[in-house]
């Protein structure tokens, strides 16, 4: 059985985020999976596709570093603003959506603030009927 295709409403989790976020997929590729717009590796735009994860706890984030320094070294989380400038990796290279690899549930996205964003729930489920 293959890896599930990712679509709109997929749940994402960042390694430095405090809460899960939802993947927003615009219907530009005109392809549906599970009745929702299907995602490709280029659906990585901050605040368009990737929503905030509550608060960020990464010291690589300048806002967190400044707040922590002001608190005399006590880690001080700050609001998350994803900094995802590169596409999802690796995607599904054998399935193209809009001339780009489709996004599958094994893909990861790197945040500039050292976070690793993974797909917790792909937005669709496969049912096995015995």
């Amino acid at each position: 059985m293959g890896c599930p295709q990712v679509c709109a409403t997929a749940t994402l989790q960042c390694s430095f985020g405090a809460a899960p976020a939802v993947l927003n997929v615009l219907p530009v590729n005109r392809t549906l999976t599970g009745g929702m717009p299907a995602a490709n590796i280029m659906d990585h735009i901050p605040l368009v596709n990737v929503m905030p994860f509550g608060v960020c706890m990464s010291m690589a984030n300048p806002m967190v570093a400044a707040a922590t320094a002001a608190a005399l070294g006590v880690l001080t989380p700050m609001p998350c603003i994803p900094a995802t400038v590169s596409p999802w990796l690796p995607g599904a290279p054998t399935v193209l959506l809009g001339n780009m690899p489709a996004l599958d549930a094994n893909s990861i996205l790197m945040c500039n603030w050292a976070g690793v964003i993974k797909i917790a729930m792909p937005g669709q489920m496969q049912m096995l009927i015995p």
Side-chain angles (χ1 to χ4, degrees):
M1 175 175 14
C3 187
Q5 169 72 35
V6 176
C7 62
T9 73
T11 304
L12 309 177
Q13 184 62 57
C14 178
S15 58
F16 285 109
V22 173
L23 178 68
N24 184 28
V25 180
L26 303 177
V28 295
N29 295 324
R30 300 182 185 167
T31 304
L32 300 179
T33 183
M36 301 297 287
N40 71 16
I41 63 167
M42 298 308 290
D43 291 319
H44 69 90
I45 309 300
L47 305 176
V48 173
N49 303 116
V50 181
M51 297 298 123
F53 296 93
V55 293
C56 179
M57 295 176 267
S58 172
M59 286 298 291
N61 183 334
M63 292 191 312
V64 175
T68 300
L72 303 175
V74 177
L75 179 64
T76 307
M78 294 301 289
C80 169
I81 301 173
T84 53
V85 296
S86 60
W88 289 87
L89 296 171
T94 59
V95 180
L96 297 180
L97 293 176
N99 293 325
M100 290 291 168
L103 186 59
D104 66 17
N106 290 332
S107 300
I108 62 169
L109 181 63
M110 300 303 296
C111 178
N112 283 0
W113 311 137
V116 177
I117 300 169
K118 294 185 178 183
I119 298 162
M121 201 277 292
Q124 66 160 339
M125 294 296 186
Q126 295 177 349
M127 292 179 53
L128 298 176
I129 300 173

